[in-house]
Amino acid sequence: MGNQSTIGSQSIIQSLSHAWDSVKANAWLFAGFTFIYLLISSILSLIPFLGSAASLFSFIFSASVFSALNVYDRNRKLDFNEFFSWSPKFGRLFLGNLLLTVLVVIMLIPFAFILIAILGISFFTELASNPENIEGLFVGSTILILVLAILLFVIVVSIALFAYPYIIQFTDLSYTEALNYSFKIGRNNIGQVVLFAFVAVGLSILGLILCGVGLLFTIPIIIATQYYFLHDMISDDEPEETKWDFMQQTPE
């Protein structure tokens, strides 16, 4: 990819509008795929060990919705089998997401040590200032620090990795280049990524209000919003004939 500094002028609201149009035009296909995916995921989660292992394949949902939208934008029509048109790149997507999982776990290790140190300092501080009520104070401060630390970690990681799934699916960048590019996009579009989070929460609540059935439609809209935001942002100035078409088995 020639240009890795693209900031883009697309907004989440514009992307949401585009996502609504595309999902609405194929509402039953997106709802049907979402239902099947959620059903299979629920069944697997009930099976010991297998449920945890299946989480490594959670990328399938977003990859499938991305693929379906890519096909629909090209042909203005969509068949159910197009949700699986990402399959030629299964190895790349699986390894990319496995690397991401390992990276997050590694990041959590020093984070855990820092958290333990903070809790230790908090404990002795409270002990010195109020030894009679140490248990209540320690539990309260521990919960508060845990919540704030986890929230901060989730926010930072989510912003940094917002574009990563799209990049490894639709570009020929290496995993490390994809991580770096995703970080740059997140850093340069913090406001839009935060707005996306609010949109996602709002749509999820709306889906739940509609007896939960609405999630079959709102979840694809959330993923589609992410897709169009990144699709309209990430430019590739390589010659057309050298681009890797993810619909093909191998790079040209």
Side-chain angles (χ1 to χ4, degrees):
M1 177 164 293
N3 181 8
Q4 295 187 30
S5 60
T6 305
I7 297 179
S9 58
Q10 185 76 355
S11 74
I12 286 295
I13 300 303
Q14 290 173 316
S15 302
L16 175 61
S17 176
H18 200 171
W20 166 258
D21 291 337
S22 296
V23 173
K24 182 179 67 172
N26 304 277
W28 295 111
L29 282 175
F30 280 102
F33 176 79
T34 303
F35 175 78
I36 293 173
Y37 178 84
L38 292 178
L39 178 62
I40 294 175
S41 297
S42 298
I43 294 174
L44 291 177
S45 66
L46 299 176
I47 304 174
F49 302 109
L50 185 58
S52 299
S55 63
L56 294 175
F57 299 92
S58 59
F59 68 89
I60 287 177
F61 184 79
S62 61
S64 298
V65 173
F66 283 0
S67 296
L69 293 168
N70 186 274
V71 172
Y72 177 70
D73 286 344
R74 291 182 177 189
N75 305 326
R76 307 312 299 174
K77 62 180 182 179
L78 185 64
D79 296 321
F80 190 78
N81 64 309
E82 303 295 355
F83 281 91
F84 306 97
S85 55
W86 53 267
S87 55
K89 296 186 74 172
F90 172 80
R92 174 175 169 82
L93 295 175
F94 175 75
L95 290 176
N97 284 274
L98 180 61
L99 172 65
L100 192 60
T101 301
V102 173
L103 179 62
V104 171
V105 171
I106 293 175
M107 290 171 62
L108 282 172
I109 293 175
F111 184 79
F113 281 113
I114 294 173
L115 186 58
I116 292 173
I118 293 175
L119 292 177
I121 294 172
S122 174
F123 175 80
F124 288 110
T125 301
E126 296 294 349
L127 180 61
S129 61
N130 195 352
E132 296 180 356
N133 192 29
I134 184 59
E135 183 177 352
L137 291 173
F138 179 65
V139 171
S141 61
T142 298
I143 294 175
L144 178 60
I145 293 174
L146 279 173
V147 170
L148 293 177
I150 293 173
L151 180 61
L152 178 61
F153 180 78
V154 169
I155 291 174
V156 172
V157 171
S158 298
I159 291 175
L161 301 178
F162 178 73
Y164 180 76
Y166 183 96
I167 294 171
I168 62 172
Q169 183 166 347
F170 292 105
T171 77
D172 199 14
L173 292 175
S174 68
Y175 297 132
T176 53
E177 289 173 331
L179 287 169
N180 182 56
Y181 192 18
S182 179
F183 172 76
K184 289 181 179 179
I185 290 176
R187 179 193 62 193
N188 294 333
N189 297 274
I190 292 178
Q192 292 298 317
V193 176
V194 171
L195 178 59
F196 171 79
F198 282 108
V199 168
V201 171
L203 288 174
S204 298
I205 294 174
L206 178 62
L208 289 171
I209 291 175
L210 299 174
C211 302
V213 178
L215 289 173
L216 299 180
F217 300 95
T218 58
I219 292 177
I221 292 175
I222 292 171
I223 303 300
T225 301
Q226 180 184 15
Y227 170 84
Y228 284 116
F229 180 73
L230 295 171
H231 179 270
D232 294 334
M233 175 184 299
I234 298 176
S235 63
D236 189 343
D237 58 8
E238 292 179 330
E240 187 67 30
E241 62 273 12
T242 66
K243 294 179 182 178
W244 183 350
D245 186 345
F246 85 104
M247 300 288 287
Q248 299 179 358
Q249 292 285 345
T250 57
E252 294 182 354

